Amino acid sequence: MDEMLLLRHGATEWSQAGKHTGRTDLPLTGDGEEQARALAPLVKGREFGLVLVSPAQRARRTADLAGLDGYRVDADLWEWDYGGYEGITTPEIRESRPGWYLWRDGVIPGDAEHPGESAAEVAARADRVIERARAARGRVALVAHGHFLRVLAARWLGLGPAEGRLFRLDTGTYSRLGFEHAEPVLMTWNAPAGCLPAS
């Protein structure tokens, strides 16, 4: 693998409202579709040895609008399962749990569709994705979600999953992971579509 291109999906109604969106399968908003289309120049003319996309429709639609063809849907790219905090904002959670912070305090169990995940469980999925990416040739592209990609970046750098807290990631942005002297490095992070890297 040469480098890994990470695309965070475009905006949804819940992401714009600050609601935790794990396994709830929401569509992109109009703005989110525009964000996804704006990523197309990043993809155009580049070849990818492997393209993996979260099963969520917001990720698949982003991949389609960005022009990523021939991708594989990979369940390991789902967003963090927020359990009982699904669909709830951080200020709302803090009304009953003052000072709550996802990266330190985790989530509470939810219903059968949202049982919840620990940071270690998210990291285990990220590690499997990294292993598949490293086995590929050339460039790899992933289309997934904010908290999951933050954990993946931390794991790429050899950090614990909670260190994903250091890597803010906005909707409709791209990031790049690669190597320097054969060591994993962060090459670009949380870049808007208008800031394209050299080919």
Side-chain angles (χ1 to χ4, degrees):
M1 188 196 87
D2 296 333
E3 69 174 42
M4 199 179 334
L5 174 67
L6 312 180
L7 303 184
R8 183 179 175 196
H9 64 76
T12 68
E13 183 181 339
W14 280 16
S15 70
Q16 290 174 322
K19 295 181 178 182
H20 288 86
T21 317
R23 305 304 169 91
T24 302
D25 201 6
L26 298 176
L28 298 178
T29 62
D31 287 344
E33 293 213 346
E34 286 304 311
Q35 288 178 321
R37 285 188 190 96
L39 294 167
L42 186 69
V43 170
K44 186 176 181 181
R46 288 180 166 84
E47 291 186 12
F48 295 92
L50 178 66
V51 181
L52 300 176
V53 177
S54 162
Q57 64 173 308
R58 58 194 184 271
R60 289 183 284 113
R61 182 68 173 151
T62 296
D64 292 339
L65 292 173
L68 282 167
D69 298 322
Y71 59 78
R72 287 179 15 207
V73 172
D74 188 330
D76 277 338
L77 272 73
W78 265 114
E79 178 59 297
W80 196 319
D81 182 344
Y82 299 118
Y85 294 146
E86 182 78 6
I88 303 175
T89 67
T90 295
E92 289 170 336
I93 296 167
R94 287 178 173 173
E95 287 175 11
S96 60
R97 197 170 172 186
W100 176 82
Y101 186 50
L102 173 67
W103 300 99
R104 179 188 60 234
D105 303 319
V107 302
I108 59 172
D111 58 23
E113 293 182 6
H114 308 92
E117 273 184 305
S118 68
E121 289 170 320
V122 179
R125 293 194 285 113
D127 288 346
R128 291 194 296 266
V129 172
I130 289 170
E131 185 177 349
R132 287 193 284 281
R134 281 180 172 261
R137 293 185 178 274
R139 288 189 179 99
V140 171
L142 307 179
V143 185
H145 312 274
H147 281 128
F148 175 80
L149 291 173
R150 292 168 71 175
V151 171
L152 185 137
R155 298 301 300 139
W156 177 256
L157 298 172
L159 304 173
E163 301 314 306
R165 66 189 170 79
L166 301 172
F167 305 109
R168 176 188 166 131
L169 191 58
D170 300 317
T171 57
T173 57
Y174 76 91
S175 302
R176 294 161 59 230
L177 306 177
F179 300 95
E180 182 182 51
H181 307 300
E183 293 296 322
V185 296
L186 192 74
M187 297 170 61
T188 306
W189 191 257
N190 199 30
C195 300
L196 299 181
S199 296

